[in-house]
Amino acid sequence: MKTGNQSFGTDFLLVGLFQYGWINSLLFVVIATLFTVALTGNIMLIHLIRLNTRLHTPMYFLLSQLSIVDLMYISTTVPKMAVSFLSQSKTIRFLGCEIQTYVFLALGGTEALLLGFMSYDRYVAICHPLHYPMLMSKKICCLMVACAWASGSINAFIHTLYVFQLPFCRSRLINHFFCEVPALLSLVCQDTSQYEYTVLLSGLIILLLPFLAILASYARVLIVVFQMSSGKGQAKAVSTCSSHLIVASLFYATTLFTYTRPHSLRSPSRDKAVAVFYTIVTPLLNPFIYSLRNKEVTGAVRRLLGYWICCRKYDFRSLY
């Protein structure tokens, strides 16, 4: 058997989300709409946090970082998928596939760790409010964000470097709508069982450990919340934590399902359906769950809209 990558410099073919030609136009409209809404929501949330000084807190700093990740995350896979619905060409360059894999893994790992840090922020704010300014200082927040980005990038670099030096000597047809490691491994013509254990280990560290930390944090938060005598305080704490838990559960459940299963239990159609949740649905829901379930964000939106309306009225009257 030849060693080295026999497919370097060639194209891969992406099967896409569905293979039914008659609904491609409809799928393009749906995906393009979801993509636009997700971009708009995340961009608005980022600017809202930046412009409103009341939101210049550790919680919203981490939330703005999450929105930046989601903004890049959905832009990594969806445009290519949407274009493929209307185009006969479903090819992706070897280098393009490699870059897409790296960026996707880096952003996914970063988001997984950021969600864990956000749960720690809520745990400290509710369970140790007097120590919050010290435990969640600006320096510590910046270190958390740097740790999330660096860890996600290093993990992605190692996996991407290893996968793309493997011999792709089978079909170059990737049964997926983007270049994802599990889908690429099915094209490799050598035994990858040992490497799959490495993927499993990475998934447990990057995904499962933060998720368990989130569950432990919120278990403690709920205990403290229900010991509060103030019903208003309970409602505010539960609202804040539940919105975070919804996003986290959706993201971790679907990514763990994909990256911790052995190759023998995989189904391409099921993997693609599950991938839709963490590539499209999560980045779409994130800004709206936080804004609709959070009184501070909705209040900031009202104040910003009120200021904008007043400015528009003043400009209109100044014309006469």
Side-chain angles (χ1 to χ4, degrees):
M1 180 180 295
K2 294 182 181 181
T3 60
N5 199 321
Q6 300 176 32
S7 297
F8 184 80
T10 62
D11 295 343
F12 288 108
L13 296 173
L14 293 169
V15 171
L17 186 59
F18 295 107
Q19 301 182 58
Y20 304 106
W22 60 274
I23 62 170
N24 280 353
S25 298
L26 176 61
L27 287 173
F28 173 80
V29 173
V30 172
I31 296 298
T33 302
L34 294 178
F35 178 68
T36 303
V37 172
L39 286 183
T40 304
N42 281 290
I43 290 172
M44 287 182 64
L45 188 56
I46 292 168
H47 284 291
L48 182 66
I49 294 172
R50 184 179 65 87
L51 295 173
N52 195 298
T53 55
R54 296 186 184 184
L55 302 181
H56 290 180
T57 63
M59 174 184 172
Y60 293 105
F61 172 67
L62 294 174
L63 178 57
S64 66
Q65 290 294 312
L66 185 65
S67 290
I68 291 171
V69 170
D70 282 335
L71 196 63
M72 299 170 64
Y73 201 49
I74 197 170
S75 300
T76 303
T77 58
V78 174
K80 175 66 177 176
M81 177 178 63
V83 170
S84 69
F85 287 135
L86 299 182
S87 173
Q88 295 297 323
S89 175
K90 299 182 182 297
T91 62
I92 182 169
R93 295 286 185 182
F94 184 93
L95 180 60
C97 187
E98 192 171 11
I99 292 173
Q100 187 183 59
T101 301
Y102 169 75
V103 173
F104 179 80
L105 287 176
L107 294 172
T110 302
E111 177 156 350
L113 295 173
L114 276 176
L115 289 170
F117 289 139
M118 290 173 69
S119 71
Y120 172 75
D121 170 78
R122 291 300 85 202
Y123 164 76
V124 174
I126 295 172
C127 299
H128 303 283
L130 297 179
H131 297 92
Y132 185 78
M134 180 181 66
L135 295 176
M136 289 300 296
S137 64
K138 184 177 180 180
K139 182 179 179 181
I140 291 176
C141 287
C142 291
L143 285 174
M144 285 180 173
V145 171
C147 177
W149 280 98
S151 300
S153 299
I154 292 171
N155 177 69
F157 179 77
I158 293 171
H159 283 288
T160 304
L161 189 66
Y162 180 81
V163 169
F164 282 88
Q165 59 83 37
L166 293 172
F168 295 107
C169 50
R170 294 179 182 171
S171 169
R172 299 197 308 275
L173 187 67
I174 302 174
N175 197 351
H176 214 305
F177 58 86
F178 70 101
C179 294
E180 191 172 31
V181 168
L184 288 167
L185 290 181
S186 63
L187 307 183
V188 176
C189 58
Q190 72 179 37
D191 182 27
T192 59
S193 57
Q194 293 299 318
Y195 173 67
E196 287 182 31
Y197 285 117
T198 306
V199 175
L200 174 61
L201 180 62
S202 295
L204 293 177
I205 295 173
I206 298 291
L207 298 171
L208 186 59
L209 287 183
F211 188 42
L212 292 177
I214 289 173
L215 295 178
S217 297
Y218 284 129
R220 178 58 183 163
V221 165
L222 288 175
I223 293 173
V224 173
V225 164
F226 287 108
Q227 289 174 347
M228 293 179 179
S229 57
S230 169
K232 185 177 180 180
Q234 289 181 1
K236 182 178 179 181
V238 170
S239 176
T240 302
C241 295
S242 62
S243 62
H244 183 195
L245 197 55
I246 290 170
V247 175
S249 298
L250 181 62
F251 176 78
Y252 286 112
T254 52
T255 50
L256 282 168
F257 179 82
T258 297
Y259 285 94
T260 59
R261 285 182 305 136
H263 182 73
S264 58
L265 298 179
R266 295 191 177 280
S267 167
S269 58
R270 186 168 52 196
D271 288 348
K272 287 189 286 186
V274 171
V276 168
F277 285 94
Y278 56 82
T279 57
I280 301 176
V281 177
T282 299
L284 173 67
L285 291 180
N286 174 43
F288 298 102
I289 286 179
Y290 277 101
S291 57
L292 294 177
R293 299 291 300 275
N294 194 302
K295 293 181 179 179
E296 292 176 334
V297 175
T298 53
V301 171
R302 291 193 193 100
R303 287 190 294 271
L304 187 63
L305 288 175
Y307 176 78
W308 182 79
I309 291 171
C310 288
C311 290
R312 294 288 293 178
K313 286 182 178 179
Y314 177 79
D315 291 339
F316 179 76
R317 289 172 182 173
S318 65
L319 295 175
Y320 296 92

